[in-house]
Amino acid sequence: MSKISDRRRADILHSALTEFGLRGVDGASMSEIAARAGIGKSTIYEYFPSKTELIIASCEMKIGQIKEEIVSVFSRDISFSAQMELYVEMMLHMAGNVDFNEVVRIFTRDSIDALETVVDDLAGDMAAILEQAILRAQAAGELVEDIDVSIAAAILLGLPNPHLILRLRQLGKEEPVKALVKLALRGLRTAETPKNA
């Protein structure tokens, strides 16, 4: 694709995400998506032959953005504990903005199958990003050396749990994310790790 085609495709996807977010997939209008992108409706179909393909491509773009945000969090020059807190907050925020009933309603079996590979790739990429962060934290002396990095990453990836955070709030924890990360990292931290990290 040319740069103009790439830019137009990106404009369509951004417009589609906005429209889907405002009106849901059923209520989203291809005409409105085209108007937001500053193009004719027929141009959308040159790039995306169906609304389903547009939905899938929009989800793929959003997943790419999520991956970039995760890379950004674990690339910051802060303690591993602080990185984990940012990761949990970011994922909880994203989960809070998703209407799971809408997700179930909009995806057909075919579109779910098409997205499955993309979601699996994201999960693998997230695990690899976190494994690298764990290795850097070990090299910096923040985490103990004798852990299975892949298992630790798998467990830590699961920390963003809205129900668990709600329960911690009910128990009176003022900083539930910090408390959750502190507990999750207990036993992984070295003795030299500062108590406030």
Side-chain angles (χ1 to χ4, degrees):
M1 273 190 192
S2 70
K3 287 184 181 181
I4 293 172
S5 293
D6 288 345
R7 187 170 40 245
R8 181 165 289 153
R9 184 178 193 281
D11 289 345
I12 293 168
L13 292 173
H14 286 290
S15 298
L17 280 173
T18 300
E19 183 71 6
F20 294 146
L22 290 173
R23 292 179 177 71
V25 173
D26 287 339
S29 155
M30 295 297 266
S31 296
E32 187 59 34
I33 292 169
R36 285 181 188 282
I39 59 174
K41 182 177 170 181
S42 62
T43 304
I44 291 177
Y45 292 106
E46 292 174 21
Y47 290 85
F48 306 99
S50 69
K51 194 175 189 181
T52 299
E53 288 187 35
L54 179 58
I55 294 165
I56 291 168
S58 298
C59 290
E60 288 173 339
M61 184 181 81
K62 187 63 180 173
I63 286 169
Q65 292 170 346
I66 292 168
K67 181 180 169 187
E68 288 175 15
E69 290 179 39
I70 292 169
V71 167
S72 172
V73 164
F74 287 108
S75 297
R76 293 189 184 185
D77 189 20
I78 55 178
S79 71
F80 180 73
S81 179
Q83 289 174 345
M84 282 302 304
E85 289 172 23
L86 287 174
Y87 162 73
V88 171
E89 292 282 1
M90 179 187 76
M91 296 303 285
L92 289 171
H93 178 73
M94 275 192 262
N97 291 329
V98 173
D99 179 349
F100 290 100
N101 292 324
E102 175 75 5
V103 171
V104 169
R105 221 176 45 239
I106 64 174
F107 288 109
T108 64
R109 184 73 224 150
D110 290 340
S111 60
I112 289 173
D113 289 344
L115 276 177
E116 188 173 13
T117 302
V118 176
V119 172
D120 286 347
D121 289 347
L122 175 64
D125 291 344
M126 288 173 62
I129 292 164
L130 188 50
E131 287 170 12
Q132 289 303 308
I134 290 170
L135 291 170
R136 285 191 300 275
Q138 286 176 318
E142 290 182 67
L143 299 180
V144 296
E145 299 268 337
D146 64 338
I147 57 172
D148 184 315
V149 173
S150 60
I151 292 174
I155 292 168
L156 294 174
L157 282 172
L159 285 185
N161 182 321
H163 302 292
L164 183 55
I165 297 299
L166 176 63
R167 181 64 185 137
L168 290 174
R169 285 190 179 119
Q170 290 170 340
L171 292 172
K173 299 295 181 187
E174 291 183 25
E175 296 181 349
V177 170
K178 188 179 281 293
L180 178 63
V181 170
K182 183 177 179 181
L183 180 63
L185 294 181
R186 179 179 244 138
L188 296 179
R189 290 185 177 160
T190 60
E192 295 82 41
T193 303
K195 295 292 183 198
N196 62 354

